[in-house]
Amino acid sequence: MDENQLISSVLAGNKEAFRFLYRLHKDAAWRLALCICKDEQLAKDALQIAFTSVYKYLHAFRGDSGFKTWVLRIVKNESVRLSKAELRFAGIEEVGESHWQDESAGVQTQLERKEKGALITEVLSRMKEKEAVVLKLFYLEELRIKEISQVLELAESNTKVILHRARKSFKTMAKKNELDY
């Protein structure tokens, strides 16, 4: 079943179809929420609210953009809203450790990847938020420039500029942290 069939099925009352859509997009949504919120609990809250909104307003999905793009825009908006509210009350917390593992690799390779993942996470956490988000959407979520522009509600030209600057910033910061890029 493709996404459009799943969406139709959900609209017809099939909750299992929504569970499938959730499982399909939860990882990308999690990474985006965590990147914006910089706090695991806040990101979990943002995801819960965002996916509740996705379910509640699925009938309003027009298909102007891809479903994943639509979901990620809702996640982004909710993450930003919760982060702003949290800043008023608590302050910013650091991003937790990443979960970069490859079970098929040997222990040494896993350790090396975990260290590299931690360094990448460290570099991304020190970058400007918008640059880090664009890099994650482009490289981790493999979204096209047009889709990133829709998620972040930016002009495509602006997204390209941010991606270019983000690559330069990442490379500079990675060299300082002895990453091979």
Side-chain angles (χ1 to χ4, degrees):
M1 218 186 271
D2 72 358
E3 275 188 349
N4 290 329
Q5 291 171 324
L6 285 168
I7 292 167
S8 296
S9 185
V10 172
L11 292 173
N14 183 349
K15 291 182 181 178
E16 189 58 40
F18 185 76
R19 285 186 193 97
F20 187 79
L21 283 170
Y22 168 77
R23 286 190 296 269
L24 193 62
H25 299 292
K26 70 176 179 167
D27 292 337
W30 169 252
R31 287 187 291 268
L32 177 60
L34 188 59
C35 181
I36 293 170
C37 294
K38 297 187 179 8
D39 175 74
E40 286 189 16
Q41 188 57 49
L42 202 58
K44 285 178 186 177
D45 292 344
L47 276 186
Q48 184 175 10
I49 294 167
F51 274 102
T52 300
S53 295
V54 167
Y55 184 77
K56 184 176 179 181
Y57 297 106
L58 188 58
H59 67 279
F61 174 64
R62 296 185 312 250
D64 295 340
S65 61
F67 182 71
K68 180 178 182 178
T69 302
W70 185 70
V71 169
L72 291 178
R73 182 180 295 167
I74 292 170
V75 170
K76 182 222 38 150
N77 289 340
E78 193 56 45
S79 298
V80 167
R81 188 186 69 75
L82 285 179
S83 293
K84 285 180 180 178
E86 182 70 14
L87 282 174
R88 284 187 285 246
F89 299 109
I92 302 172
E93 294 182 23
E94 294 297 316
V95 176
E97 284 188 38
S98 66
H99 305 284
W100 299 43
Q101 292 184 5
D102 182 3
E103 294 182 21
S104 64
V107 174
Q108 182 66 27
T109 305
Q110 285 181 8
L111 289 174
E112 289 171 1
R113 286 184 183 194
K114 190 170 184 174
E115 287 175 13
K116 195 171 193 174
L119 288 173
I120 290 170
T121 300
E122 173 65 27
V123 170
L124 288 171
S125 71
R126 288 189 281 129
M127 292 178 68
K128 292 178 182 176
E129 181 181 307
K130 194 170 277 188
E131 289 180 359
V133 168
V134 169
L135 280 179
K136 286 182 178 185
L137 291 174
F138 189 78
Y139 288 105
L140 296 178
E141 304 311 324
E142 298 178 355
L143 294 181
R144 297 183 312 262
I145 298 292
K146 182 177 182 177
E147 294 171 318
I148 295 169
S149 298
Q150 291 171 342
V151 168
L152 299 178
E153 300 176 81
L154 299 170
E156 285 185 43
S157 59
N158 195 4
T159 302
K160 288 177 186 178
V161 169
I162 293 169
L163 180 60
H164 176 73
R165 289 179 183 161
R167 287 175 177 150
K168 287 176 103 173
S169 295
F170 185 88
K171 191 172 187 175
T172 302
M173 290 180 180
K175 284 182 181 178
K176 290 178 184 177
N177 283 322
E178 300 174 19
L179 276 174
D180 299 322
Y181 284 96

